[in-house]
Structures are given as structure tokens and as C-alpha cells.
Amino acid sequence: PGLTAASEHGVRHPFVEANIGKLDIRAIARLLDMTEADLPASPCLASRLYTGTRVTPSRLAAVEAGEALVRRLVGIDVVRCRVDASEQPGDALHVMIEVIDTERALVDAAVVDEVAAVMRNLEPTIVDVKLDDRPYESGRAFVHPVA
């Protein structure tokens, strides 16, 4: 969706046009002694909202807080709190906590309950928070979840 919007508005991608990838950019940054060269990737929080789910400051804040809490409680790096409103009535939101398969056992019911409380405090329209049955998959929010 972001690339489509960029194309519709004439946004250029200089690194792509110059055939410079992420690894190249990091190498250049290291040559320039930039501290950001080795920062982990940090995708936009809006990428956690399934296509068709309205992006709002409170929803983004809830996602950020939920993911930070999972990281703090169980010590994992890769976690996504995916938000979907596409099949919910009205403004009701459904959240799936997504982690890599080998770390699923670390996210127990108590962790999910705590994350739900924190996220609902920031975004009251969240009606359901669950650990996703499927493992983490990059970009999953750009396609509708499988029922």
C-alpha cells in the first residue's frame, strides 16, 4: 500500500534507482562512522495494521506499548502486535501477538492478559488480544488474515 501511494504521488526512491540495497547502505554508514549503521530494522508501526484498518495515533501507541511490553516481559526481539478491524463490527479491533515459532511458549496467558490491558488502556476499541497460532511473518498485515 505504501509503495502504491508513493507511486501515485510521484515519490522517488534514490537508493533503489542507484541499485543500492540495505546492506550497501549499512556499509556506507559504517565507512562514515555513523552510529546508526548497526541499528536493527524498525518497520513503521502502521505496518502492524491490516490493510483497511484506519491508522490513528492511539492505535499506533497501543501497538508500540504492546510490543515493548512483550519484549520486556519475555526478552524476545521479534514481536508484532497485528491489528485488524476488517471483520469487526463498528470500531472493534482484534489484535494478534505474533512471534517466531521457537519463542511462542514464552508468551503465556498472563503475558497476553497484561498486553491486552495495556493496549486497551491506550485504544479502548480493542476487544480481543490473542497469541497468533501462526509464527511471525514479515509483511503479514498487507494481506487479510486467514480465518
Side-chain angles (χ1 to χ4, degrees):
L3 291 175
T4 301
S7 176
E8 290 171 355
H9 294 281
V11 173
R12 294 187 60 198
H13 305 277
F15 290 118
V16 173
E17 292 171 19
N19 201 30
I20 298 173
K22 291 180 184 180
L23 293 176
D24 300 317
I25 293 168
R26 288 186 182 276
I28 293 167
R30 279 188 209 93
L31 286 172
L32 296 172
D33 290 323
M34 297 177 70
T35 58
E36 298 84 1
D38 294 311
L39 284 177
S42 182
C44 173
L45 289 173
S47 70
R48 284 19 169 228
L49 279 63
Y50 274 91
T51 300
T53 302
R54 193 165 46 95
V55 178
T56 67
S58 61
R59 290 174 182 179
L60 297 178
V63 166
E64 183 174 42
E67 291 180 4
L69 184 57
V70 172
R71 285 186 191 99
R72 192 179 88 240
L73 291 175
V74 300
I76 60 176
D77 292 324
V78 178
V79 59
R80 299 291 184 269
C81 290
R82 306 277 191 195
V83 179
D84 185 18
S86 61
E87 292 188 6
Q88 302 298 323
D91 287 333
L93 299 175
H94 176 74
V95 176
M96 295 299 279
I97 301 171
E98 188 179 315
V99 299
I100 62 174
D101 211 25
T102 58
E103 295 176 335
R104 288 179 48 74
L106 298 172
V107 184
D108 62 17
V111 170
V112 173
D113 289 346
E114 200 166 334
V115 169
V118 165
M119 291 184 75
R120 284 186 186 124
N121 186 52
L122 294 165
E123 177 53 66
T125 62
I126 293 172
V127 296
D128 191 18
V129 178
K130 295 181 181 176
L131 178 62
D132 200 329
D133 291 335
R134 300 169 296 163
Y136 165 77
E137 181 182 337
S138 179
R140 182 178 294 161
F142 297 122
V143 295
H144 195 272
V146 177

PDB file of all heavy atoms in Angstrom, residues 125-138:
ATOM      1  N   THR A 125     -11.045   0.572  21.810  1.00  0.00           N
ATOM      2  CA  THR A 125     -11.827  -0.217  20.853  1.00  0.00           C
ATOM      3  C   THR A 125     -11.248  -1.612  20.635  1.00  0.00           C
ATOM      4  O   THR A 125     -11.828  -2.403  19.899  1.00  0.00           O
ATOM      5  CB  THR A 125     -11.956   0.514  19.496  1.00  0.00           C
ATOM      6  OG1 THR A 125     -10.653   0.689  18.942  1.00  0.00           O
ATOM      7  CG2 THR A 125     -12.645   1.851  19.662  1.00  0.00           C
ATOM      8  N   ILE A 126     -10.126  -1.925  21.279  1.00  0.00           N
ATOM      9  CA  ILE A 126      -9.570  -3.281  21.188  1.00  0.00           C
ATOM     10  C   ILE A 126     -10.450  -4.211  22.019  1.00  0.00           C
ATOM     11  O   ILE A 126     -10.615  -4.022  23.220  1.00  0.00           O
ATOM     12  CB  ILE A 126      -8.107  -3.318  21.677  1.00  0.00           C
ATOM     13  CG1 ILE A 126      -7.219  -2.530  20.717  1.00  0.00           C
ATOM     14  CG2 ILE A 126      -7.610  -4.759  21.825  1.00  0.00           C
ATOM     15  CD1 ILE A 126      -5.791  -2.346  21.201  1.00  0.00           C
ATOM     16  N   VAL A 127     -11.020  -5.216  21.358  1.00  0.00           N
ATOM     17  CA  VAL A 127     -11.931  -6.138  22.039  1.00  0.00           C
ATOM     18  C   VAL A 127     -11.306  -7.502  22.303  1.00  0.00           C
ATOM     19  O   VAL A 127     -11.826  -8.261  23.122  1.00  0.00           O
ATOM     20  CB  VAL A 127     -13.251  -6.327  21.249  1.00  0.00           C
ATOM     21  CG1 VAL A 127     -14.014  -5.014  21.169  1.00  0.00           C
ATOM     22  CG2 VAL A 127     -12.989  -6.902  19.871  1.00  0.00           C
ATOM     23  N   ASP A 128     -10.209  -7.802  21.606  1.00  0.00           N
ATOM     24  CA  ASP A 128      -9.658  -9.144  21.704  1.00  0.00           C
ATOM     25  C   ASP A 128      -8.160  -9.110  21.444  1.00  0.00           C
ATOM     26  O   ASP A 128      -7.719  -8.486  20.472  1.00  0.00           O
ATOM     27  CB  ASP A 128     -10.351 -10.024  20.661  1.00  0.00           C
ATOM     28  CG  ASP A 128     -10.066 -11.489  20.832  1.00  0.00           C
ATOM     29  OD1 ASP A 128      -9.629 -11.892  21.927  1.00  0.00           O
ATOM     30  OD2 ASP A 128     -10.274 -12.253  19.873  1.00  0.00           O
ATOM     31  N   VAL A 129      -7.380  -9.753  22.304  1.00  0.00           N
ATOM     32  CA  VAL A 129      -5.932  -9.886  22.103  1.00  0.00           C
ATOM     33  C   VAL A 129      -5.593 -11.355  22.324  1.00  0.00           C
ATOM     34  O   VAL A 129      -5.943 -11.925  23.352  1.00  0.00           O
ATOM     35  CB  VAL A 129      -5.126  -9.007  23.089  1.00  0.00           C
ATOM     36  CG1 VAL A 129      -3.637  -9.216  22.892  1.00  0.00           C
ATOM     37  CG2 VAL A 129      -5.496  -7.531  22.935  1.00  0.00           C
ATOM     38  N   LYS A 130      -4.922 -11.956  21.319  1.00  0.00           N
ATOM     39  CA  LYS A 130      -4.565 -13.375  21.392  1.00  0.00           C
ATOM     40  C   LYS A 130      -3.159 -13.581  20.845  1.00  0.00           C
ATOM     41  O   LYS A 130      -2.671 -12.786  20.055  1.00  0.00           O
ATOM     42  CB  LYS A 130      -5.518 -14.224  20.546  1.00  0.00           C
ATOM     43  CG  LYS A 130      -6.941 -14.243  21.021  1.00  0.00           C
ATOM     44  CD  LYS A 130      -7.778 -15.122  20.128  1.00  0.00           C
ATOM     45  CE  LYS A 130      -9.229 -15.133  20.598  1.00  0.00           C
ATOM     46  NZ  LYS A 130     -10.069 -15.919  19.680  1.00  0.00           N
ATOM     47  N   LEU A 131      -2.551 -14.689  21.247  1.00  0.00           N
ATOM     48  CA  LEU A 131      -1.295 -15.118  20.639  1.00  0.00           C
ATOM     49  C   LEU A 131      -1.652 -15.784  19.319  1.00  0.00           C
ATOM     50  O   LEU A 131      -2.485 -16.693  19.274  1.00  0.00           O
ATOM     51  CB  LEU A 131      -0.551 -16.098  21.545  1.00  0.00           C
ATOM     52  CG  LEU A 131       0.757 -16.660  20.997  1.00  0.00           C
ATOM     53  CD1 LEU A 131       1.779 -15.546  20.749  1.00  0.00           C
ATOM     54  CD2 LEU A 131       1.324 -17.681  21.973  1.00  0.00           C
ATOM     55  N   ASP A 132      -1.054 -15.312  18.235  1.00  0.00           N
ATOM     56  CA  ASP A 132      -1.344 -15.855  16.915  1.00  0.00           C
ATOM     57  C   ASP A 132      -0.918 -17.317  16.834  1.00  0.00           C
ATOM     58  O   ASP A 132       0.146 -17.685  17.326  1.00  0.00           O
ATOM     59  CB  ASP A 132      -0.600 -15.037  15.850  1.00  0.00           C
ATOM     60  CG  ASP A 132      -1.188 -15.196  14.459  1.00  0.00           C
ATOM     61  OD1 ASP A 132      -1.723 -16.284  14.152  1.00  0.00           O
ATOM     62  OD2 ASP A 132      -1.106 -14.235  13.676  1.00  0.00           O
ATOM     63  N   ASP A 133      -1.758 -18.159  16.238  1.00  0.00           N
ATOM     64  CA  ASP A 133      -1.426 -19.572  16.046  1.00  0.00           C
ATOM     65  C   ASP A 133      -0.306 -19.747  15.031  1.00  0.00           C
ATOM     66  O   ASP A 133       0.371 -20.772  15.021  1.00  0.00           O
ATOM     67  CB  ASP A 133      -2.650 -20.349  15.542  1.00  0.00           C
ATOM     68  CG  ASP A 133      -3.733 -20.462  16.592  1.00  0.00           C
ATOM     69  OD1 ASP A 133      -3.397 -20.385  17.798  1.00  0.00           O
ATOM     70  OD2 ASP A 133      -4.901 -20.626  16.221  1.00  0.00           O
ATOM     71  N   ARG A 134      -0.139 -18.748  14.176  1.00  0.00           N
ATOM     72  CA  ARG A 134       0.894 -18.807  13.139  1.00  0.00           C
ATOM     73  C   ARG A 134       2.127 -18.043  13.602  1.00  0.00           C
ATOM     74  O   ARG A 134       2.023 -17.064  14.327  1.00  0.00           O
ATOM     75  CB  ARG A 134       0.366 -18.191  11.844  1.00  0.00           C
ATOM     76  CG  ARG A 134      -0.873 -18.913  11.314  1.00  0.00           C
ATOM     77  CD  ARG A 134      -1.540 -18.139  10.205  1.00  0.00           C
ATOM     78  NE  ARG A 134      -2.033 -16.873  10.719  1.00  0.00           N
ATOM     79  CZ  ARG A 134      -2.373 -15.833   9.962  1.00  0.00           C
ATOM     80  NH1 ARG A 134      -2.263 -15.898   8.668  1.00  0.00           N
ATOM     81  NH2 ARG A 134      -2.820 -14.724  10.503  1.00  0.00           N
ATOM     82  N   PRO A 135       3.307 -18.451  13.189  1.00  0.00           N
ATOM     83  CA  PRO A 135       4.527 -17.741  13.584  1.00  0.00           C
ATOM     84  C   PRO A 135       4.680 -16.408  12.853  1.00  0.00           C
ATOM     85  O   PRO A 135       4.008 -16.156  11.847  1.00  0.00           O
ATOM     86  CB  PRO A 135       5.646 -18.710  13.190  1.00  0.00           C
ATOM     87  CG  PRO A 135       5.071 -19.527  12.087  1.00  0.00           C
ATOM     88  CD  PRO A 135       3.601 -19.641  12.382  1.00  0.00           C
ATOM     89  N   TYR A 136       5.560 -15.575  13.360  1.00  0.00           N
ATOM     90  CA  TYR A 136       5.878 -14.278  12.757  1.00  0.00           C
ATOM     91  C   TYR A 136       6.146 -14.424  11.268  1.00  0.00           C
ATOM     92  O   TYR A 136       6.835 -15.340  10.835  1.00  0.00           O
ATOM     93  CB  TYR A 136       7.112 -13.678  13.445  1.00  0.00           C
ATOM     94  CG  TYR A 136       7.723 -12.545  12.664  1.00  0.00           C
ATOM     95  CD1 TYR A 136       7.138 -11.283  12.679  1.00  0.00           C
ATOM     96  CD2 TYR A 136       8.863 -12.739  11.896  1.00  0.00           C
ATOM     97  CE1 TYR A 136       7.688 -10.246  11.950  1.00  0.00           C
ATOM     98  CE2 TYR A 136       9.423 -11.705  11.171  1.00  0.00           C
ATOM     99  CZ  TYR A 136       8.830 -10.458  11.199  1.00  0.00           C
ATOM    100  OH  TYR A 136       9.373  -9.431  10.474  1.00  0.00           O
ATOM    101  N   GLU A 137       5.590 -13.495  10.511  1.00  0.00           N
ATOM    102  CA  GLU A 137       5.833 -13.434   9.075  1.00  0.00           C
ATOM    103  C   GLU A 137       5.865 -11.968   8.670  1.00  0.00           C
ATOM    104  O   GLU A 137       4.889 -11.242   8.854  1.00  0.00           O
ATOM    105  CB  GLU A 137       4.722 -14.164   8.318  1.00  0.00           C
ATOM    106  CG  GLU A 137       4.907 -14.183   6.829  1.00  0.00           C
ATOM    107  CD  GLU A 137       3.756 -14.867   6.111  1.00  0.00           C
ATOM    108  OE1 GLU A 137       3.057 -15.678   6.742  1.00  0.00           O
ATOM    109  OE2 GLU A 137       3.564 -14.573   4.930  1.00  0.00           O
ATOM    110  N   SER A 138       6.985 -11.536   8.146  1.00  0.00           N
ATOM    111  CA  SER A 138       7.142 -10.151   7.719  1.00  0.00           C
ATOM    112  C   SER A 138       6.069  -9.771   6.709  1.00  0.00           C
ATOM    113  O   SER A 138       5.776 -10.525   5.794  1.00  0.00           O
ATOM    114  CB  SER A 138       8.530  -9.975   7.101  1.00  0.00           C
ATOM    115  OG  SER A 138       8.687  -8.650   6.658  1.00  0.00           O
TER     116      SER A 138
END
